Amino acid sequence: MKSQASPITNADEIRLALGIGQPHQRPTRGWTGGHPVVPIPDSHNESLTLFCTRCDIMTAGIYAKPTDTFRRCPACSSLLGLCLVCQRPVSFRERYNLLCCDRCHNDFVTQSTVDDLIRREAGSREIVLSGIRATGELHYGNYFGAMKQFVEFAKGDNLCLFFIADWHTLTTCREPEVVRPNTLRIAMAYLAMGLDPNRAIMYGQSSVPEIAELAMYLSMLQNHAPLISMQSVEDMITKSTENNPFTLGKLTYPVLMAADILGPKSTVVPVGPDQVVNVELAADLARKFNNRFRSVFTIPTHHISETTVPGLDGEKMGKSANNWVSLLDSEEGILRKYQRDGVTDLARITKNIPGTPANCKAVFPLHEILLADKPEELGKVVTECSTAARGCVDCKRELARNLFIELAPFRERWAKLSEKPDFVREVLHYGGLKAREIITPTVAEVRECMGIFPN
Ligand code: ADP
Ligand code: TRP
């Protein structure tokens, strides 16, 4: 057995200590970076001792267990090794299964990161991917219809990727001062919902430039006629004005979305009913590519949420419909909105007339969603409404309270995250590195198939 105190002086052992192997030993700072790879020299200065940058001490390092192959600082337990970029013996922070040099702050996608992803992919039931555009505040429709599902998927043995579709946002939103903070807010919402950054990979779409590259290759296979005749595209053309022109970005939106989906070889894509046609287009493109070249892509399937949340007017809750209730509204704020605009059973003009819950547009459907696991309480709502034992005002008060209570853990986490914007940025940064690691090999395969020189 090796002596507990001797420093690592052998290059192979240092590689092992860093968990770095070929061919993934590239230091990176997300897509903005790109440091040249500095290979570890084959032989090392015999006298190399390991320095803990965090404690600022020279240390021989220790083995935590006799079977360990890496060394840690005896004082703070940081992993010790040789940085590929600054070429110094340093300590590393371990963040979300990536290493970050304490001295030059470069991040390393290590072999163990890749191994972990491969292991999770191999052991996962599904590769689940979905995205939300950074267009504005999140509402209860997004919560019940999309984000709650994301959390459920992430609880199982799935490899989950949830991203913020910031490029997609640009198709309708041109103000940088809106896009940037909203990107961060969606990331905060993912975290506040309870997604764990050590399990689910959360990233900004723009952190993975290979997605845009893949969209470009896919666009070579996509005829423009079917795009133009898509209902969503027809709607955009009809609604276009001088200030809201029908741009190429809008036309090619579904192809970019196909790249989002096909890049990580997603198997399941949870989306709202309006997005199904886009997932189908992605599946068609995958088939077309696989038939023409070779089988690179997995054919994705959509997963539609069973829950459609009505807005205050009874129509589908949506940001553009101006009928929504924000996830951050106070109980009084929610109540005020429902008292003022919440449409109930139109036949129930006074409190004394018994109501018909099935005809209630905005309030009863939400009781149904909230009390799905509490049939007795839901039964009470039905009975009291249909016997006129409760009026709509009381019913709305109960709804406002229940909506507010449902979101209590979300708000608590949101408040904490609001004080830690750097943490949220960090989650996106590390998520972006991992997503890139997953998507880049697919794009390399596509390049090869299409006759483009490797990068
Ligand atoms: P909006 O319609 O407010 O612009 P988005 O289109 O950004 O919302 O939707 C983001 C996610 O939330 C999508 O998966 C969408 O299906 C889901 N979603 C939005 N509104 C509702 C709703 N009222 N009921 C159920 N799911 C919804
Ligand atoms: N188009 C989706 C929406 O408007 C957002 C999105 C972009 C998306 N890329 C995606 C959803 C890929 C699922 C998968 O809601």
Side-chain angles (χ1 to χ4, degrees):
M1 197 171 70
K2 286 171 195 157
S3 140
Q4 295 270 322
S6 63
I8 303 177
T9 54
N10 172 290
D12 288 334
E13 232 184 296
I14 289 169
R15 273 202 199 90
L16 254 175
L18 286 171
I20 292 168
Q22 300 290 349
H24 289 288
Q25 54 183 54
R26 63 184 170 86
T28 167
R29 290 178 159 228
W31 70 276
T32 50
H35 286 269
V37 175
V38 183
I40 297 179
D42 274 342
S43 61
H44 264 284
N45 183 347
E46 288 273 299
S47 63
L48 177 71
T49 46
L50 293 171
F51 185 76
C52 178
T53 321
R54 199 175 308 168
C55 302
D56 203 18
I57 54 166
M58 194 62 85
T59 162
I62 52 162
Y63 290 108
K65 287 185 260 135
T67 47
D68 279 352
T69 48
F70 52 81
R71 308 285 182 126
R72 292 187 179 273
C73 167
C76 71
S77 292
S78 292
L79 190 64
L80 303 172
L82 189 83
C83 175
L84 284 174
V85 174
C86 65
Q87 290 254 288
R88 298 284 184 89
V90 291
S91 54
F92 291 90
R93 275 185 316 150
E94 296 166 276
R95 311 298 322 242
Y96 312 107
N97 206 15
L98 272 85
L99 294 183
C100 175
C101 170
D102 276 335
R103 185 173 175 275
C104 68
H105 305 294
N106 272 288
D107 295 312
F108 294 88
V109 175
T110 67
Q111 187 60 45
S112 69
T113 315
V114 177
D115 288 347
D116 177 61
L117 292 173
I118 292 170
R119 203 170 36 247
R120 283 177 57 192
E121 189 175 337
S124 65
R125 211 151 24 96
E126 305 287 357
I127 300 178
V128 181
L129 170 134
S130 197
I132 294 187
R133 299 191 319 138
T135 46
E137 277 205 59
L138 289 162
H139 53 69
Y140 279 88
N142 304 133
Y143 171 80
F144 286 116
M147 303 181 94
K148 256 193 129 173
Q149 284 189 83
F150 295 179
V151 177
E152 285 308 309
F153 275 115
K155 278 185 196 156
D157 54 355
N158 301 308
L159 178 62
C160 289
L161 297 103
F162 299 121
F163 68 97
I164 299 115
D166 50 357
W167 282 333
H168 284 280
T169 311
L170 297 181
T171 55
T172 52
C173 178
R174 294 155 163 223
E175 292 86 33
E177 63 280 7
V178 175
V179 181
R180 204 168 296 127
N182 278 344
T183 300
L184 217 55
R185 282 169 78 84
I186 306 279
M188 271 172 69
Y190 281 158
L191 291 166
M193 282 294 303
L195 287 176
D196 174 357
N198 287 303
R199 287 180 58 83
I201 299 171
M202 289 168 258
Y203 57 102
Q205 184 184 30
S206 60
S207 312
V208 189
E210 287 79 8
I211 294 173
E213 185 183 345
L214 180 56
M216 199 268 299
Y217 296 134
L218 294 174
S219 73
M220 304 299 167
L221 303 181
Q222 178 63 49
N223 294 349
H224 77 282
L227 280 185
I228 289 180
S229 56
M230 283 173 89
Q231 187 57 49
S232 55
V233 172
E234 271 182 21
D235 290 349
M236 284 190 278
I237 295 176
T238 318
K239 283 187 203 150
S240 64
T241 60
E242 206 176 317
N243 287 335
N244 176 24
F246 180 68
T247 57
L248 256 189
K250 283 181 182 163
L251 179 63
T252 55
Y253 186 109
V255 180
L256 180 57
M257 189 160 156
D260 294 329
I261 295 169
L262 301 183
K265 303 191 177 177
S266 321
T267 57
V268 176
V269 186
V271 282
D274 56 321
Q275 297 296 316
V276 170
V277 39
N278 289 335
V279 182
E280 279 169 355
L281 185 125
D284 283 347
L285 272 170
R287 278 187 214 102
K288 211 185 263 183
F289 186 98
N290 290 353
N291 288 339
R292 187 167 308 173
F293 300 100
R294 64 181 158 82
S295 194
V296 168
F297 293 119
T298 307
I299 313 299
T301 51
H302 58 258
H303 179 279
I304 310 184
S305 157
E306 282 157 20
T307 313
T308 299
V309 179
L312 296 164
D313 55 0
E315 298 301 318
K316 182 181 170 231
M317 189 178 283
K319 275 172 291 236
S320 44
N322 206 16
N323 63 356
W324 52 281
V325 181
S326 162
L327 296 182
L328 296 175
D329 275 348
S330 63
E331 185 175 339
E332 298 72 44
I334 300 172
L335 183 59
R336 212 174 310 121
K337 283 186 184 166
Y338 275 98
Q339 299 294 32
R340 198 183 53 207
D341 299 323
V343 181
T344 53
D345 175 359
L346 292 173
R348 200 175 178 198
I349 320 162
T350 64
K351 194 179 165 185
N352 309 333
I353 304 174
T356 310
N359 293 343
C360 176
K361 305 238 180 269
V363 178
F364 184 68
L366 268 162
H367 278 304
E368 272 185 310
I369 295 170
L370 281 163
L371 302 175
D373 297 335
K374 298 176 185 159
E376 275 174 25
E377 284 184 44
L378 187 64
K380 191 165 162 253
V381 177
V382 173
T383 312
E384 289 184 1
C385 170
S386 40
T387 56
R390 70 160 70 191
C392 293
V393 171
D394 290 336
C395 207
K396 288 174 175 177
R397 192 168 291 124
E398 186 177 317
L399 177 67
R401 191 175 324 115
N402 286 345
L403 284 174
F404 187 71
I405 291 170
E406 168 81 14
L407 264 283
F410 177 90
R411 277 190 311 275
E412 230 167 77
R413 290 193 209 109
W414 181 277
K416 285 191 189 137
L417 290 163
S418 307
E419 287 164 15
K420 297 194 290 183
D422 285 348
F423 166 73
V424 183
R425 276 190 212 105
E426 193 178 79
V427 167
L428 286 184
H429 170 69
Y430 285 102
L433 293 181
K434 287 186 193 176
R436 248 193 123 176
E437 209 56 40
I438 291 173
I439 293 163
T440 304
T442 313
V443 180
E445 282 184 84
V446 171
R447 259 194 220 128
E448 200 219 316
C449 286
M450 296 182 91
I452 303 298
F453 277 114
N455 246 358

